[in-house]
Amino acid sequence: MAQPLMPHATASWLVDNTALSFEQIAEFCGLHILEVQAIADDTAATKLTGRDPIRAHEVTQEEIDKAQADPEYRMQITKGPEQVRRTKGPRYTPVSKRQDKPDGISWIIRNHPEITDGAISNLIGTTRTTIAAIRDRSHWNIQNITPKDPVTLGLTTQRELDAAVAKAAKAAGIEPAPTDTRLEGDREALLTQLRAEREQAARDAEAGIEPTDPNTLFNDPFKR
């Protein structure tokens, strides 16, 4: 069942302004009846400011009247207006991480100069003014800014950073670094050898043969 946006504050208002039972209020607000009792007795840990659910479009007066007339009735929450969801603009960054933003910006500027200020702004959630100040070293705290990976700082994800780098490289006409395949054959041979040794060890274990210690085998010339 849906609940009010601020259940404790709503319960406080219902206690003060209606004749609803504690059980009805607890059911409507999604609280334990003892929580409602504490609110009514002013023994809650924090003094709450009541929130009117009628003005919040979470319940109608008619619904409250019906519940007050019948203690067994359980009020139904009214679906309020859709909340406006943020779809554009800089990402939200927790206060505890905002001081790390300049370090993350500096790291991107140093390691990926092809990324535009607009892309950095969307990636980390900062202003172009701040980015420009770090670029030309006119930032007020430039002496204390140390380039640090924004992924490690928790300002963005590796996937988002990689996507921004790839997009910027494509726009700048930068070819991706070629993959070194010189050791690919040796790697495959090593994997094949390891698989063969693992399978042989499994067969020896099934046959009850004690596995040979590779260190002993190497050190003892008579066992080579």
Side-chain angles (χ1 to χ4, degrees), residues 45-83:
T46 304
K47 181 61 179 176
L48 299 170
T49 300
R51 180 174 184 269
D52 186 348
I54 299 175
R55 294 185 61 183
H57 306 290
E58 293 174 340
V59 72
T60 63
Q61 184 62 54
E62 290 75 13
E63 189 76 359
I64 291 178
D65 293 341
K66 188 185 298 185
Q68 290 180 136
D70 180 7
E72 298 300 321
Y73 183 77
R74 296 295 178 261
M75 294 191 300
Q76 301 298 315
I77 192 169
T78 302
K79 183 179 180 181
E82 292 291 336
Q83 297 291 326

Short mmCIF file of all heavy atoms in Angstrom, two decimals, residues 45-83:
data_model
loop_
_atom_site.label_atom_id
_atom_site.label_comp_id
_atom_site.label_asym_id
_atom_site.label_seq_id
_atom_site.Cartn_x
_atom_site.Cartn_y
_atom_site.Cartn_z
N ALA A 45 11.32 10.87 19.76
CA ALA A 45 12.67 11.41 19.91
C ALA A 45 12.78 12.83 19.38
O ALA A 45 13.51 13.65 19.91
CB ALA A 45 13.66 10.51 19.18
N THR A 46 12.02 13.13 18.34
CA THR A 46 12.07 14.46 17.73
C THR A 46 10.67 15.04 17.67
O THR A 46 9.72 14.36 17.28
CB THR A 46 12.65 14.38 16.30
OG1 THR A 46 13.92 13.76 16.35
CG2 THR A 46 12.77 15.77 15.69
N LYS A 47 10.54 16.30 18.06
CA LYS A 47 9.26 16.97 17.98
C LYS A 47 8.93 17.23 16.52
O LYS A 47 9.71 17.84 15.80
CB LYS A 47 9.30 18.30 18.75
CG LYS A 47 7.97 19.06 18.72
CD LYS A 47 6.85 18.28 19.36
CE LYS A 47 5.54 19.06 19.36
NZ LYS A 47 4.42 18.27 19.91
N LEU A 48 7.79 16.71 16.10
CA LEU A 48 7.44 16.78 14.69
C LEU A 48 6.50 17.94 14.40
O LEU A 48 5.64 18.28 15.21
CB LEU A 48 6.77 15.47 14.25
CG LEU A 48 7.62 14.22 14.38
CD1 LEU A 48 6.77 12.97 14.16
CD2 LEU A 48 8.76 14.24 13.38
N THR A 49 6.68 18.54 13.22
CA THR A 49 5.73 19.53 12.72
C THR A 49 4.75 18.80 11.82
O THR A 49 5.16 18.12 10.87
CB THR A 49 6.47 20.62 11.92
OG1 THR A 49 7.41 21.27 12.77
CG2 THR A 49 5.47 21.64 11.37
N GLY A 50 3.48 18.91 12.15
CA GLY A 50 2.47 18.16 11.40
C GLY A 50 2.42 18.54 9.93
O GLY A 50 2.65 19.70 9.56
N ARG A 51 2.11 17.58 9.11
CA ARG A 51 1.97 17.81 7.66
C ARG A 51 0.56 17.41 7.25
O ARG A 51 0.16 16.26 7.43
CB ARG A 51 3.00 16.99 6.90
CG ARG A 51 2.93 17.14 5.38
CD ARG A 51 4.09 16.39 4.74
NE ARG A 51 4.15 16.57 3.30
CZ ARG A 51 3.56 15.77 2.42
NH1 ARG A 51 2.85 14.74 2.84
NH2 ARG A 51 3.68 16.01 1.12
N ASP A 52 -0.17 18.36 6.71
CA ASP A 52 -1.56 18.16 6.33
C ASP A 52 -1.65 17.29 5.08
O ASP A 52 -1.28 17.74 3.98
CB ASP A 52 -2.22 19.52 6.09
CG ASP A 52 -3.71 19.40 5.84
OD1 ASP A 52 -4.19 18.28 5.63
OD2 ASP A 52 -4.39 20.46 5.83
N PRO A 53 -2.15 16.07 5.18
CA PRO A 53 -2.23 15.19 4.00
C PRO A 53 -3.32 15.62 3.03
O PRO A 53 -3.30 15.22 1.87
CB PRO A 53 -2.52 13.82 4.61
CG PRO A 53 -3.24 14.13 5.88
CD PRO A 53 -2.63 15.38 6.40
N ILE A 54 -4.28 16.43 3.52
CA ILE A 54 -5.34 16.91 2.62
C ILE A 54 -4.75 17.94 1.65
O ILE A 54 -4.95 17.86 0.44
CB ILE A 54 -6.50 17.53 3.43
CG1 ILE A 54 -7.11 16.47 4.36
CG2 ILE A 54 -7.56 18.08 2.49
CD1 ILE A 54 -8.18 17.01 5.27
N ARG A 55 -3.99 18.88 2.20
CA ARG A 55 -3.35 19.89 1.35
C ARG A 55 -2.29 19.26 0.45
O ARG A 55 -1.99 19.79 -0.62
CB ARG A 55 -2.73 20.98 2.20
CG ARG A 55 -3.75 21.81 2.99
CD ARG A 55 -3.09 22.93 3.72
NE ARG A 55 -2.42 23.86 2.79
CZ ARG A 55 -1.71 24.91 3.19
NH1 ARG A 55 -1.55 25.17 4.49
NH2 ARG A 55 -1.14 25.71 2.30
N ALA A 56 -1.72 18.16 0.91
CA ALA A 56 -0.71 17.46 0.11
C ALA A 56 -1.34 16.54 -0.93
O ALA A 56 -0.63 15.86 -1.67
CB ALA A 56 0.20 16.64 1.03
N HIS A 57 -2.68 16.53 -0.98
CA HIS A 57 -3.42 15.71 -1.95
C HIS A 57 -3.15 14.22 -1.76
O HIS A 57 -3.11 13.46 -2.73
CB HIS A 57 -3.08 16.12 -3.38
CG HIS A 57 -3.28 17.58 -3.67
ND1 HIS A 57 -4.54 18.16 -3.75
CD2 HIS A 57 -2.40 18.59 -3.87
CE1 HIS A 57 -4.43 19.45 -4.00
NE2 HIS A 57 -3.13 19.75 -4.07
N GLU A 58 -2.96 13.82 -0.50
CA GLU A 58 -2.73 12.41 -0.22
C GLU A 58 -3.96 11.72 0.33
O GLU A 58 -4.03 10.49 0.33
CB GLU A 58 -1.56 12.28 0.78
CG GLU A 58 -0.22 12.71 0.18
CD GLU A 58 0.90 12.73 1.19
OE1 GLU A 58 0.62 12.78 2.41
OE2 GLU A 58 2.07 12.70 0.78
N VAL A 59 -4.94 12.51 0.77
CA VAL A 59 -6.20 11.96 1.25
C VAL A 59 -7.25 13.07 1.20
O VAL A 59 -6.89 14.26 1.23
CB VAL A 59 -6.06 11.41 2.70
CG1 VAL A 59 -5.93 12.54 3.70
CG2 VAL A 59 -7.22 10.50 3.06
N THR A 60 -8.50 12.69 1.10
CA THR A 60 -9.58 13.68 1.05
C THR A 60 -10.25 13.79 2.41
O THR A 60 -10.16 12.87 3.25
CB THR A 60 -10.63 13.29 0.01
OG1 THR A 60 -11.23 12.03 0.40
CG2 THR A 60 -10.00 13.14 -1.37
N GLN A 61 -10.94 14.91 2.62
CA GLN A 61 -11.67 15.09 3.87
C GLN A 61 -12.78 14.06 3.99
O GLN A 61 -13.08 13.56 5.07
CB GLN A 61 -12.26 16.51 3.93
CG GLN A 61 -12.97 16.82 5.24
CD GLN A 61 -12.05 16.76 6.44
OE1 GLN A 61 -11.02 17.43 6.46
NE2 GLN A 61 -12.40 15.95 7.45
N GLU A 62 -13.38 13.71 2.85
CA GLU A 62 -14.45 12.70 2.84
C GLU A 62 -13.91 11.36 3.33
O GLU A 62 -14.60 10.63 4.06
CB GLU A 62 -15.03 12.55 1.43
CG GLU A 62 -15.85 13.73 0.94
CD GLU A 62 -14.99 14.92 0.54
OE1 GLU A 62 -13.74 14.77 0.42
OE2 GLU A 62 -15.56 16.02 0.37
N GLU A 63 -12.69 11.03 2.94
CA GLU A 63 -12.09 9.76 3.36
C GLU A 63 -11.83 9.77 4.87
O GLU A 63 -12.06 8.77 5.56
CB GLU A 63 -10.78 9.54 2.59
CG GLU A 63 -10.16 8.17 2.77
CD GLU A 63 -10.88 7.08 1.98
OE1 GLU A 63 -11.88 7.38 1.29
OE2 GLU A 63 -10.44 5.92 2.06
N ILE A 64 -11.39 10.90 5.38
CA ILE A 64 -11.16 11.02 6.82
C ILE A 64 -12.47 10.92 7.57
O ILE A 64 -12.57 10.24 8.61
CB ILE A 64 -10.44 12.34 7.14
CG1 ILE A 64 -9.00 12.31 6.61
CG2 ILE A 64 -10.42 12.59 8.65
CD1 ILE A 64 -8.23 13.59 6.83
N ASP A 65 -13.53 11.60 7.08
CA ASP A 65 -14.83 11.55 7.72
C ASP A 65 -15.36 10.13 7.76
O ASP A 65 -15.95 9.68 8.77
CB ASP A 65 -15.82 12.45 6.98
CG ASP A 65 -15.47 13.92 7.11
OD1 ASP A 65 -14.71 14.27 8.05
OD2 ASP A 65 -15.92 14.73 6.28
N LYS A 66 -15.18 9.41 6.69
CA LYS A 66 -15.66 8.02 6.62
C LYS A 66 -14.92 7.16 7.65
O LYS A 66 -15.53 6.31 8.32
CB LYS A 66 -15.43 7.48 5.21
CG LYS A 66 -16.06 6.11 4.96
CD LYS A 66 -15.69 5.58 3.58
CE LYS A 66 -16.22 6.49 2.48
NZ LYS A 66 -15.97 5.90 1.13
N ALA A 67 -13.63 7.39 7.80
CA ALA A 67 -12.83 6.61 8.75
C ALA A 67 -13.18 6.97 10.19
O ALA A 67 -13.19 6.11 11.08
CB ALA A 67 -11.34 6.83 8.50
N GLN A 68 -13.46 8.24 10.44
CA GLN A 68 -13.84 8.65 11.79
C GLN A 68 -15.19 8.06 12.20
O GLN A 68 -15.42 7.77 13.37
CB GLN A 68 -13.90 10.19 11.87
CG GLN A 68 -12.53 10.84 11.79
CD GLN A 68 -12.60 12.35 11.88
OE1 GLN A 68 -11.80 12.98 12.58
NE2 GLN A 68 -13.53 12.97 11.17
N ALA A 69 -16.08 7.84 11.23
CA ALA A 69 -17.40 7.28 11.52
C ALA A 69 -17.35 5.77 11.71
O ALA A 69 -18.24 5.19 12.34
CB ALA A 69 -18.37 7.63 10.38
N ASP A 70 -16.31 5.13 11.19
CA ASP A 70 -16.20 3.68 11.28
C ASP A 70 -14.78 3.30 11.68
O ASP A 70 -13.86 3.33 10.85
CB ASP A 70 -16.55 3.05 9.93
CG ASP A 70 -16.45 1.53 9.95
OD1 ASP A 70 -16.23 0.96 11.05
OD2 ASP A 70 -16.59 0.91 8.88
N PRO A 71 -14.54 2.94 12.93
CA PRO A 71 -13.19 2.59 13.41
C PRO A 71 -12.55 1.43 12.66
O PRO A 71 -11.33 1.27 12.69
CB PRO A 71 -13.42 2.23 14.88
CG PRO A 71 -14.69 2.93 15.25
CD PRO A 71 -15.53 2.90 14.01
N GLU A 72 -13.37 0.62 11.99
CA GLU A 72 -12.83 -0.52 11.26
C GLU A 72 -12.41 -0.15 9.84
O GLU A 72 -11.77 -0.93 9.15
CB GLU A 72 -13.88 -1.65 11.19
CG GLU A 72 -14.30 -2.20 12.54
CD GLU A 72 -13.12 -2.78 13.30
OE1 GLU A 72 -12.26 -3.42 12.65
OE2 GLU A 72 -13.05 -2.60 14.53
N TYR A 73 -12.75 1.05 9.42
CA TYR A 73 -12.44 1.48 8.05
C TYR A 73 -10.97 1.87 7.93
O TYR A 73 -10.41 2.49 8.83
CB TYR A 73 -13.34 2.66 7.64
CG TYR A 73 -13.12 3.12 6.22
CD1 TYR A 73 -13.65 2.40 5.15
CD2 TYR A 73 -12.38 4.27 5.93
CE1 TYR A 73 -13.45 2.81 3.84
CE2 TYR A 73 -12.16 4.68 4.63
CZ TYR A 73 -12.70 3.94 3.59
OH TYR A 73 -12.50 4.37 2.30
N ARG A 74 -10.37 1.50 6.83
CA ARG A 74 -8.98 1.84 6.58
C ARG A 74 -8.90 2.82 5.41
O ARG A 74 -9.37 2.52 4.31
CB ARG A 74 -8.15 0.58 6.26
CG ARG A 74 -8.09 -0.39 7.44
CD ARG A 74 -7.34 0.23 8.60
NE ARG A 74 -7.29 -0.65 9.77
CZ ARG A 74 -8.09 -0.56 10.81
NH1 ARG A 74 -9.06 0.37 10.82
NH2 ARG A 74 -7.98 -1.39 11.83
N MET A 75 -8.36 3.99 5.65
CA MET A 75 -8.30 5.02 4.64
C MET A 75 -7.40 4.61 3.48
O MET A 75 -6.38 3.95 3.67
CB MET A 75 -7.79 6.34 5.24
CG MET A 75 -8.70 6.96 6.26
SD MET A 75 -8.18 8.65 6.68
CE MET A 75 -6.53 8.35 7.32
N GLN A 76 -7.76 5.06 2.30
CA GLN A 76 -6.97 4.82 1.10
C GLN A 76 -6.30 6.11 0.68
O GLN A 76 -6.92 7.16 0.61
CB GLN A 76 -7.87 4.31 -0.04
CG GLN A 76 -8.61 3.03 0.29
CD GLN A 76 -7.67 1.86 0.54
OE1 GLN A 76 -6.72 1.68 -0.22
NE2 GLN A 76 -7.95 1.09 1.57
N ILE A 77 -5.00 6.03 0.42
CA ILE A 77 -4.27 7.22 0.02
C ILE A 77 -4.68 7.63 -1.39
O ILE A 77 -4.97 6.79 -2.24
CB ILE A 77 -2.75 6.99 0.11
CG1 ILE A 77 -1.98 8.31 -0.04
CG2 ILE A 77 -2.29 6.01 -0.96
CD1 ILE A 77 -0.51 8.20 0.30
N THR A 78 -4.74 8.92 -1.62
CA THR A 78 -5.07 9.46 -2.94
C THR A 78 -3.78 9.69 -3.70
O THR A 78 -2.83 10.27 -3.17
CB THR A 78 -5.82 10.79 -2.82
OG1 THR A 78 -7.01 10.57 -2.04
CG2 THR A 78 -6.20 11.33 -4.19
N LYS A 79 -3.76 9.24 -4.94
CA LYS A 79 -2.57 9.45 -5.76
C LYS A 79 -2.43 10.92 -6.07
O LYS A 79 -3.29 11.53 -6.70
CB LYS A 79 -2.66 8.65 -7.06
CG LYS A 79 -1.40 8.77 -7.92
CD LYS A 79 -1.53 7.95 -9.18
CE LYS A 79 -0.27 8.08 -10.03
NZ LYS A 79 -0.36 7.32 -11.29
N GLY A 80 -1.36 11.53 -5.57
CA GLY A 80 -1.14 12.95 -5.77
C GLY A 80 -0.59 13.23 -7.15
O GLY A 80 -0.40 12.32 -7.97
N PRO A 81 -0.31 14.48 -7.45
CA PRO A 81 0.25 14.84 -8.75
C PRO A 81 1.63 14.22 -8.93
O PRO A 81 2.37 14.02 -7.97
CB PRO A 81 0.33 16.38 -8.70
CG PRO A 81 0.36 16.70 -7.23
CD PRO A 81 -0.48 15.65 -6.57
N GLU A 82 1.94 13.85 -10.17
CA GLU A 82 3.24 13.25 -10.46
C GLU A 82 4.37 14.19 -10.09
O GLU A 82 4.31 15.38 -10.36
CB GLU A 82 3.34 12.91 -11.96
CG GLU A 82 2.41 11.79 -12.39
CD GLU A 82 2.82 10.46 -11.82
OE1 GLU A 82 4.01 10.31 -11.49
OE2 GLU A 82 1.96 9.58 -11.69
N GLN A 83 5.37 13.62 -9.43
CA GLN A 83 6.53 14.42 -9.07
C GLN A 83 7.34 14.75 -10.32
O GLN A 83 7.50 13.91 -11.20
CB GLN A 83 7.42 13.67 -8.07
CG GLN A 83 6.73 13.38 -6.74
CD GLN A 83 6.49 14.64 -5.95
OE1 GLN A 83 7.30 15.57 -6.00
NE2 GLN A 83 5.39 14.70 -5.24
#
